Amino acid sequence: MDEPRILDAHAHQWDLHGTPREASSFVKLFGWSPSLMHWLARRLFPANAVEFFGAADFILQNYLPDDHRAYAGDFELDGFVHVEAGWQAAGPLGAVAETEWLATLGPDIRAIVGHADLCRGNDIDAVLEAHIAASDCFRGVRYPLAHHPAKGVLSACDGPHLMHDTTWREGYARLGDHDLSFDATVYHHQLDDLAELAGHFPNIPIVLCHAGTPVAYGGPFGGIGATPDSRQRIADEWATSIANLAERPNVQVKISGLAMPALGWGYHRTKHRPDIERLVADFRPIVEHVIDCFGVGRCMFGSNFPIDAVSADMPTIFG
């Protein structure tokens, strides 16, 4: 029987030698010795970043369309959505270069979700227009909002209340004028703030990444979720907030990123990779609740590769 064809809704591409990423300089300096490079990465990178990604193996190597197809194994990909991946070019239009670069990589990239500094407020129009001009595949913006009070959990932005910042909201509002969507990367305790944002701007489609990333849902992580009771509270809070968010009709959700170390499963620390039975048992409560709340028509599936590669094989996740 032929394997089903999949449009992967969440993946990342990078070329650490040819494009400006946060890790590019590190790879150029130490890539001549992979063992030294990984040894240094474990000691020089912030501890919460090392814990969040689980290992540097998949961060410190190129990841391009052929790699993505190779990781998919026998599963037939109809292409994938690239979500911004830390492009480091300077200047207000610097992030547009990522879209220009992606446009050269071929037809596997079916849609692009790029970066734009929404903190520029009303001045963001030129950036959005340049993204749109750079590729017909440009569909939206991700401005990572994930922020956690626990120091052991990696935060992707400077403060916990950016969604309420007046200037940031001015930039966010411009997405609607350009018919662009917003990919929201938040932690589960921020979901109610996201619901408020969605309600205030009902004309802007929001795509929630990674089902809201309930940190320590499956086990201790980053100093939280140390007891079964604390993990149950996390699960209950996440479930309530997901149901609240689903009441906003302009929100969809990606069932993605569930194998990330931040959820606390500990897959990346085990000798053997999890099999399909393990993933089904662990992921089922999350997946079923998301589908029950949002309905099949407002859910999509993404691999989050190569980030989730530290924990599980793509065919197993797809399976």
Side-chain angles (χ1 to χ4, degrees), residues 27-319:
V27 171
K28 290 175 182 177
L29 283 171
F30 304 110
W32 56 272
S33 174
S35 59
L36 173 63
M37 181 173 65
H38 291 288
W39 183 86
L40 287 171
R42 289 192 297 271
R43 285 152 181 83
L44 296 179
F45 291 179
N48 59 5
V50 172
E51 287 298 306
F52 183 87
F53 293 108
D57 304 45
F58 302 97
I59 305 300
L60 299 178
Q61 63 186 26
N62 291 347
Y63 195 77
L64 296 165
D66 286 347
D67 301 304
H68 198 59
R69 284 194 173 276
Y71 273 109
D74 292 333
F75 280 84
E76 288 289 332
L77 291 179
D78 268 340
F80 61 90
V81 178
H82 167 87
V83 179
E84 63 88 22
W87 191 275
Q88 294 290 303
L93 293 175
V96 177
E98 182 181 38
T99 299
E100 295 172 340
W101 172 70
L102 291 163
T104 71
L105 297 186
D108 279 352
I109 300 177
R110 299 282 295 278
I112 297 169
V113 177
H115 178 74
D117 184 4
L118 300 182
C119 291
R120 295 180 60 83
N122 290 325
D123 291 339
I124 201 68
D125 281 332
V127 178
L128 300 179
E129 290 165 2
H131 273 301
I132 293 167
S135 173
D136 291 339
C137 293
F138 190 78
R139 296 291 182 271
V141 164
R142 179 171 80 157
Y143 187 108
L145 294 166
H147 190 280
H148 205 285
K151 293 182 179 179
V153 182
L154 183 67
S155 290
C157 62
D158 293 334
H161 304 300
L162 195 55
M163 274 183 276
H164 298 287
D165 180 83
T166 299
T167 304
W168 187 90
R169 283 195 169 208
E170 289 174 354
Y172 181 84
R174 305 307 297 162
L175 298 178
D177 294 326
H178 293 278
D179 295 323
L180 296 172
S181 63
F182 180 70
D183 265 43
T185 303
V186 298
Y187 290 129
H188 85 274
H189 66 278
Q190 300 175 283
L191 289 173
D192 291 341
D193 283 345
L194 186 64
E196 187 277 330
L197 182 72
H200 194 78
F201 297 95
N203 64 315
I204 299 176
I206 291 176
V207 182
L208 173 65
C209 299
H210 311 329
T213 311
V215 177
Y217 181 102
F221 182 85
I224 63 173
T227 67
D229 286 346
S230 65
R231 294 195 292 275
Q232 187 60 54
R233 284 194 297 273
I234 289 167
D236 292 344
E237 291 167 2
W238 170 83
T240 299
S241 294
I242 282 289
N244 176 46
L245 183 62
E247 294 179 4
R248 306 298 186 184
N250 55 322
V251 180
Q252 301 179 54
V253 61
K254 291 181 189 176
I255 299 173
S256 59
L258 300 185
M260 289 191 296
L263 272 76
W265 308 117
Y267 302 147
H268 62 297
R269 295 194 179 97
T270 59
K271 183 178 180 181
H272 300 290
R273 298 203 138 206
D275 57 20
I276 185 63
E277 288 77 15
R278 172 72 186 277
L279 295 188
V280 168
D282 288 344
F283 295 172
R284 183 188 296 274
I286 296 175
V287 174
E288 288 186 345
H289 183 66
V290 167
I291 292 175
D292 285 345
C293 291
F294 281 87
V296 172
R298 294 166 64 197
C299 295
M300 59 192 83
F301 176 80
S303 69
N304 194 36
F305 261 57
I307 306 302
D308 279 28
V310 71
S311 296
D313 299 325
M314 196 189 299
T316 308
I317 293 175
F318 280 159

